[in-house]
Amino acid sequence: MHSVDGVTQNVERIAALFPNCVTERKGENGKLERAIDFDLLRQELSRDIIDTGEERYQFTWPGKREAIRLANAPTNCTLRPVREDSVDFDNTQNLYIEGDNLEVLKLLRETYLGKVKMIYIDPPYNTGNDFVYEDDFAQSYEDFKGKSGMFDENGNMLLDNYERNNESNGRFHTDWLNLMYPRLKVARDLLAEDGVIFISIDDIEIENLRRIGDEVFGNNNFLATLTRRTKAGGGSAAKHFAVENDFILVFSKNKELTGPLFAPFDEKYAKRYAFEDEQGRYFWDTMERSYTATVPYKIEAPDGTMLEGKWFRSEERFKKDLATGEVRFLKKSDGTWSVQFKQRMAEGKKVRSILGENEFKSNPQDLESIGLGGIFPFPKPLYLIHYLVQSLVNSDDIVLDFFSGSATTAHAVMQLNTEDGGKRKFIMVQLPEVTDEKSEARKAGYANICEIGKERIRRAGKKILEELGMRKEELGNKQGGLFDESNSSSQIPHSSLDVGFRVLRLDSSNMEDVYYTPDKFDEANLFNMVDNVKTDRNEEDLLFQVMLELDVPLSASIKQEQFAGKNVFVVADGHLIATFDKDVNESTVTEIAKRKPNFFVMRDASAANDNVLDNFEQIFRHYSPDTICKIL
């Protein structure tokens, strides 16, 4: 029950490419382990060996090696379900996860490997007041939690006890780089091959962020720098310039597989395309253009008149279009001819690198409309995220935001699904930073940022359903109408719109130390040990840790059923069946085996007696030999 060891994975990848570079060495425990001969690997990767100390192009900073280690190091933390904070826990496909995003990303890495279509993050801008996550996970999570001074008695992260990244500490850029590098490195693994990451940033760290992105994603996968206008007017107090913009850096996982990013046409623009045929919408546009680069040629009109000019399309293209009906001749009132072609409506308008419209500025109305005005400072505008998601994310894709803040990304995904009937899913990750005692958020009863984010999603979902219900009532269920369920192109009814979310909280492993390090326990300790599962953990806690271990999506359906009188979890329609109930006997195991799950998991303490543990493999071998069985 550890997450994947990134170093081991990397060694295996290198071994597959360069088997001659693989060697053996004695590890810390004295046992032989696979290792890489870096001298041989350097020879494989260079025609000329670069000697130590030789000048080369590189991007480094104090702590970079440790940042790489942190990205690769495994974790034995887990995610515990919080039903009471969730909305529609049993049916939703959306996730809201509380905890340090580096640890959470590691836990998600295997289950969601290559499955996230879009990542949007708005990380700290390093303004001198931003905090830095303290990535000291060399000690156990419990020791870290108890000794760091970063948590209150309720487990909330204390902002005031973070190591603030002030310029006076002499590590102004270093701390920020050590924050971002390991998170982006792990996040890259979650992106789909055609996936894209958008990262909001200002001009303080944009240069360093571009370099990190080039290193993590490859500079050949850089797509664009978007410039967003953030405000207008004012600026009299600025020393040199009134800065009115920030940036969004965009990288793809694989540029060759990433398609074009289209923004939808606005209604005014779309009205131009007033005609439609079997190939789609179009309007008639004139062929003659004074600014065209096409070589002039003559065109014969229907009455034999030879028309001369510079034409929008080449002569070869003109002849082809004329033959297929894509060109027409129109006689004007003065007797002259106009040559026109069908200007067809494209799939969409390419996303522009300048996001200058008013909709991209911060909009207080986004939160005021759901009763949260003034609660969260500087939230990203809802339209911005909506616009980016719409340009890239298809109906069933996953959107991830691991600096969730006020959960604007979740709001945008739900809003877009409402508009086009999509079933996009979101995963929000946020550190539970305590709100300032004097803040409007604290006065309103929100103890930490996670409470604000969850409440926003609840209120936004409720508002969306209310508006949808009002429109449904106004339009009715007429045949062919907007809400006609018999019409596959109609907008979705209430029942299929997912505005719920399943809350999970990062915590230490459910297992006692003996589970991971049995060699450190002598006979006396073992006899005093009642169980290998911590006493404060319940059956559903264990289930979610098992789901992580077996790469079962954390949004998978979970049903509780009775098998021979015992409580059993049936996950993802029987892909995984698990029981942690007491006194489980052969009858329960036999019923489960007859369902032929891909995985079966139970606790050793669940068995009614030793015979159950001795016989369950034989039972599965008889009824479901392909089932993989595990005992906790």
Side-chain angles (χ1 to χ4, degrees):
M1 288 195 175
H2 282 82
S3 68
V4 66
D5 186 333
V7 172
T8 300
Q9 275 197 331
N10 291 336
V11 169
E12 290 174 354
R13 291 169 182 155
I14 291 173
L17 292 172
F18 307 105
N20 61 312
C21 296
V22 178
T23 184
E24 292 181 345
R25 69 176 181 188
K26 283 190 176 182
E28 294 180 358
N29 57 6
K31 296 181 179 179
L32 287 176
E33 63 181 16
R34 177 183 280 185
I36 299 297
D37 186 326
F38 286 100
D39 289 334
L40 284 176
L41 183 61
R42 290 170 70 202
Q43 293 178 37
E44 292 284 355
L45 299 178
S46 177
R47 293 183 180 87
D48 301 306
I49 297 298
I50 300 176
D51 294 328
T52 303
E54 184 178 338
E55 291 182 344
R56 72 195 80 171
Y57 179 81
Q58 59 182 332
F59 175 49
T60 189
W61 63 90
K64 183 177 182 180
R65 290 183 181 179
E66 177 63 10
I68 295 172
R69 187 197 68 80
L70 279 171
N72 290 327
T75 178
N76 65 352
C77 293
T78 191
L79 298 175
R80 301 176 65 186
V82 188
R83 278 185 172 269
E84 59 271 21
D85 286 2
S86 305
V87 174
D88 197 18
F89 184 96
D90 291 321
N91 300 303
T92 184
Q93 293 290 296
N94 301 316
L95 299 176
Y96 188 97
I97 305 176
E98 301 179 19
D100 179 271
N101 51 18
L102 179 58
E103 295 298 283
V104 172
L105 289 171
K106 289 180 183 181
L107 290 171
L108 298 179
R109 178 155 48 186
E110 287 302 297
T111 304
Y112 291 91
L113 185 71
K115 294 181 180 178
V116 175
K117 184 61 175 287
M118 171 179 162
I119 297 174
Y120 171 81
I121 56 172
D122 181 19
Y125 277 12
N126 203 4
T127 60
N129 293 317
D130 294 322
F131 61 88
V132 174
Y133 291 45
E134 186 177 325
D135 294 320
D136 184 8
F137 295 102
Q139 55 188 318
S140 72
Y141 187 84
E142 284 301 312
D143 287 343
F144 164 72
K145 190 172 180 180
K147 297 175 182 177
S148 65
M150 293 165 55
F151 298 81
D152 65 13
E153 63 278 7
N154 296 316
N156 295 314
M157 302 293 255
L158 298 170
L159 179 60
D160 288 341
N161 286 333
Y162 276 84
E163 181 179 351
R164 288 187 175 275
N165 195 26
N166 295 318
E167 194 165 7
S168 60
N169 71 5
R171 292 174 290 151
F172 190 53
H173 296 291
T174 294
D175 286 343
W176 190 86
L177 288 165
N178 288 330
L179 164 71
M180 295 301 300
Y181 189 87
R183 287 163 176 80
L184 291 177
K185 201 169 189 303
V186 179
R188 181 186 180 277
D189 291 339
L190 276 65
L191 270 182
E193 287 302 306
D194 61 347
V196 173
I197 182 170
F198 298 85
I199 311 170
S200 284
I201 197 67
D202 68 357
D203 50 10
I204 295 175
E205 292 293 354
I206 186 171
E207 181 181 358
N208 284 330
L209 180 60
R210 173 63 197 270
R211 289 183 177 182
I212 293 177
D214 285 346
E215 186 166 315
V216 171
F217 299 97
N219 59 7
N220 57 310
N221 288 318
F222 172 72
L223 295 183
T225 299
L226 310 183
T227 301
R228 179 180 75 99
R229 190 169 189 181
T230 56
K231 59 183 178 181
S236 59
K239 186 174 182 180
H240 298 113
F241 293 92
V243 178
E244 297 183 339
N245 67 282
D246 63 10
F247 307 94
I248 302 174
L249 291 189
V250 190
F251 289 88
S252 63
K253 178 75 170 288
N254 187 331
K255 190 175 183 178
E256 298 305 315
L257 299 178
T258 301
L261 277 66
F262 287 121
F265 294 118
D266 59 54
E267 187 176 347
K268 181 179 178 181
Y269 183 88
K271 282 183 178 179
R272 299 175 61 196
Y273 297 85
F275 304 98
E276 189 170 3
D277 59 18
E278 63 279 358
Q279 295 183 48
R281 294 174 63 178
Y282 67 93
F283 71 89
W284 289 106
D285 200 359
T286 180
M287 278 273 292
E288 188 171 11
R289 301 287 173 85
S290 59
Y291 51 83
T292 182
T294 305
V295 176
Y297 57 91
K298 294 182 179 181
I299 293 177
E300 184 178 357
D303 63 358
T305 302
M306 299 305 294
L307 309 176
E308 297 187 43
K310 291 184 177 181
W311 309 104
F312 182 65
R313 291 182 174 173
S314 67
E315 186 173 9
E316 182 182 358
R317 174 71 184 275
F318 165 76
K319 291 178 179 179
K320 179 181 177 182
D321 289 346
L322 183 64
T324 58
E326 293 289 304
V327 170
R328 73 176 184 181
F329 292 90
L330 189 66
K331 201 162 192 177
K332 296 184 286 188
S333 58
D334 62 359
T336 59
W337 289 97
S338 171
V339 185
Q340 299 179 338
F341 68 98
K342 289 181 179 179
Q343 182 70 275
R344 295 199 170 273
M345 191 173 187
E347 183 180 344
K349 180 173 62 176
K350 291 282 178 63
V351 172
R352 267 40 182 180
S353 63
I354 304 294
L355 306 177
E357 290 86 350
N358 288 331
E359 294 89 340
F360 295 112
K361 298 174 186 174
S362 186
N363 185 3
Q365 181 62 25
D366 293 343
L367 290 177
E368 289 173 2
S369 65
I370 54 176
L372 294 175
I375 295 296
F376 195 90
F378 312 117
K380 275 291 178 283
L382 180 64
Y383 181 75
L384 170 67
I385 315 301
H386 180 287
Y387 180 83
L388 297 177
V389 173
Q390 190 173 24
S391 72
L392 174 75
V393 181
N394 298 321
S395 175
D396 294 320
D397 290 332
I398 298 173
V399 179
L400 167 66
D401 184 343
F402 54 89
F403 284 96
S404 172
S406 66
T408 303
T409 302
H411 192 166
V413 169
M414 293 191 301
Q415 186 67 51
L416 183 56
N417 284 344
T418 307
E419 295 167 6
D420 66 7
K423 294 184 178 180
R424 303 168 188 86
K425 299 166 278 289
F426 64 75
I427 301 176
M428 300 292 105
V429 184
Q430 177 59 44
L431 199 72
E433 310 155 29
V434 170
T435 54
D436 188 274
E437 292 183 0
K438 298 179 181 180
S439 66
E440 292 299 316
R442 181 66 68 87
K443 293 175 185 177
Y446 299 104
N448 62 58
I449 291 179
C450 289
E451 299 307 314
I452 299 173
K454 290 181 289 187
E455 184 62 17
R456 179 182 187 170
I457 303 173
R458 293 187 196 104
R459 294 192 184 199
K462 183 179 179 181
K463 185 172 184 285
I464 285 170
L465 290 180
E466 288 173 352
E467 292 177 348
L468 199 60
M470 289 170 59
R471 288 157 62 195
K472 186 172 183 178
E473 186 176 339
E474 290 171 2
L475 295 170
N477 286 313
K478 296 180 292 184
Q479 181 70 27
L482 187 63
F483 293 97
D484 175 20
E485 297 182 33
S486 66
N487 180 359
S488 61
S489 63
S490 67
Q491 198 160 140
I492 54 178
H494 278 184
S495 58
S496 59
L497 178 62
D498 186 359
V499 294
F501 58 99
R502 183 176 284 182
V503 177
L504 304 172
R505 187 169 291 151
L506 182 72
D507 209 331
S508 60
S509 173
N510 296 313
M511 315 306 291
E512 295 283 5
D513 290 343
V514 68
Y515 182 87
Y516 297 103
T517 56
D519 55 311
K520 294 183 179 179
F521 285 77
D522 56 26
E523 290 83 350
N525 288 331
L526 288 174
F527 280 113
N528 290 329
M529 182 67 65
V530 176
D531 200 346
N532 62 359
V533 176
K534 292 177 180 175
T535 56
D536 65 335
R537 306 305 165 93
N538 59 38
E539 292 184 0
E540 207 160 48
D541 291 334
L542 290 174
L543 177 66
F544 273 84
Q545 187 155 353
V546 166
M547 290 168 66
L548 281 169
E549 183 185 5
L550 300 179
D551 301 335
V552 177
L554 297 171
S555 58
S557 63
I558 301 171
K559 296 180 180 178
Q560 295 190 48
E561 301 181 16
Q562 293 291 309
F563 284 61
K566 298 302 175 185
N567 187 47
V568 175
F569 293 99
V570 180
V571 182
D573 299 322
H575 172 69
L576 162 66
I577 296 182
T579 182
F580 312 109
D581 207 345
K582 297 179 180 179
D583 298 323
V584 173
N585 57 32
E586 284 93 338
S587 298
T588 301
V589 176
T590 300
E591 281 195 38
I592 293 171
K594 288 180 178 179
R595 291 281 289 267
K596 301 183 185 303
N598 292 322
F599 295 97
F600 167 65
V601 180
M602 68 178 288
R603 290 178 61 181
D604 56 359
S606 295
N609 51 58
D610 290 342
N611 289 334
V612 176
L613 296 175
D614 292 337
N615 297 331
F616 89 94
E617 287 189 0
Q618 295 180 7
I619 294 172
F620 271 92
R621 193 176 299 119
H622 177 73
Y623 290 104
S624 183
D626 294 330
T627 297
I628 297 173
C629 301
K630 292 181 177 288
I631 298 290
L632 299 184

